[in-house]
Amino acid sequence: MSAGRTALMALPARTAAANGPLLLYHQALIGVGEQMNANLVQVLFVTLRTFGVLGVMLALGPTLEVFFIWQLVCALLQGGMSSWFLNRALGKGYRRFSIGLLTSQGRFSAAITGTVLCMTIFGIADRVILSRILSLESLAIYNLASTVALSLS
């Protein structure tokens, strides 16, 4: 496999890794009563990711590499902005990691983790099964229809 292909294959993984902390930051902002800032960041970056990629692809070319680099840049910027709002909301006294606080919430965290894992598995199981049955074109149409249906609900 060529180096260019390997780098292209690594971009979605890097983008997914950069997206990992975003939900934690969003929920932490809501948890400290900063719903307005959490939603501001969310709306700003969903809009930037969606419509900004069109401009970037028109300027640089409609390639997967351009798409994933744009998504990665947006994820990093969203993480930085969310982190800034969270640090501002928390103040100086709460910036230390507390293992005691984490273990005191162990049962709740385990239940939430189990729920999220089940939702993730059930959310992608249909696509994994259908990817073995359908053509790539039919799977793409199914994924698009599923995404549109979920966004309407």
Side-chain angles (χ1 to χ4, degrees), residues 99-113:
I99 192 73
L101 184 60
L102 183 64
T103 56
S104 72
Q105 302 300 317
R107 290 182 67 178
F108 174 75
S109 298
I112 295 296
T113 300

Side-chain angles (χ1 to χ4, degrees), residues 56-99:
V56 171
M57 287 183 129
L58 285 173
L60 301 176
T63 65
L64 281 175
E65 188 173 14
V66 169
F67 174 80
F68 281 115
I69 288 172
W70 178 253
Q71 297 300 313
L72 178 61
V73 167
C74 286
L76 293 173
L77 290 173
Q78 183 177 357
M81 189 174 192
S82 297
S83 173
W84 182 80
F85 276 123
L86 185 60
N87 279 325
R88 196 180 81 181
L90 289 176
K92 294 187 185 238
Y94 293 99
R95 293 186 186 172
R96 291 192 199 142
F97 179 77
S98 170
I99 192 73

Side-chain angles (χ1 to χ4, degrees), residues 12-31:
R14 288 185 180 131
T15 303
N19 280 309
L22 298 182
L23 181 61
L24 295 175
Y25 279 128
H26 185 77
Q27 294 302 321
L29 282 168
I30 290 172

Side-chain angles (χ1 to χ4, degrees), residues 126-127 130-131 134-144:
D126 61 336
R127 288 172 177 82
L130 289 174
S131 70
L134 299 176
S135 68
L136 186 58
E137 181 181 348
S138 297
L139 184 63
I141 292 169
Y142 173 82
N143 282 334
L144 179 62

Side-chain angles (χ1 to χ4, degrees), residues 2 5 116 126:
S2 70
R5 265 190 121 161
V116 168
D126 61 336

